[in-house]
């Protein structure tokens, strides 16, 4: 199952934002910033990555539903999507 093209752009934006946040965290560590500030930024990065993953999973689930409406058996794909979702949870 491929990532839907409409979701790809949004996911890439989220990942680029996370990439910038990670660079910021590295800079904070190099500057010797307070650990609470660093952890706060790490939590923001983690949320950004989770949202990117959930967007990809949502896209896959949408494809499964559409295919199921067209009469295709999607049980294997839905099981796979469930495992992916749980890996992020």
């Amino acid at each position: 199952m491929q990532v839907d093209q409409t979701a790809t752009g949004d996911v890439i934006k989220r990942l680029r934002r996370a990439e910038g946040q990670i660079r910021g965290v590295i800079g904070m560590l190099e500057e010797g910033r307070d650990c609470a500030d660093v952890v706060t930024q790490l939590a923001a990065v983690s949320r950004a990555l989770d949202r990117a993953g959930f967007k990809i999973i949502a896209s896959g689930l949408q494809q499964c539903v559409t295919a199921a409406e067209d009469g295709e058996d999607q049980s294997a794909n839905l099981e796979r999507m469930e495992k992916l979702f749980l890996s992020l949870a």
Side-chain angles (χ1 to χ4, degrees), residues 1-86:
M1 185 170 303
Q2 298 293 315
V3 178
D4 182 63
Q5 289 299 317
T6 57
T8 300
D10 188 39
V11 170
I12 290 172
K13 285 180 193 174
R14 291 174 192 269
L15 293 175
R16 291 196 195 285
R17 189 175 311 127
E19 179 182 33
Q21 289 173 314
I22 290 171
R23 273 193 240 105
V25 169
I26 292 169
M28 292 171 75
L29 290 169
E30 291 173 342
E31 295 169 4
R33 298 275 299 271
D34 183 67
C35 67
D37 294 337
V38 173
V39 171
T40 299
Q41 286 305 307
L42 284 174
V45 171
S46 179
R47 284 190 304 274
L49 293 174
D50 286 345
R51 286 179 166 221
F54 290 136
K55 182 73 171 180
I56 291 170
I57 291 169
S59 170
L61 288 173
Q62 187 175 21
Q63 289 177 40
C64 287
V65 168
T66 301
E69 288 173 352
D70 292 341
E72 297 176 35
D73 180 14
Q74 292 298 304
S75 57
N77 282 333
L78 287 173
E79 187 174 313
R80 184 173 164 213
M81 298 307 300
E82 180 182 9
K83 287 180 183 178
L84 289 171
F85 178 80
L86 291 173

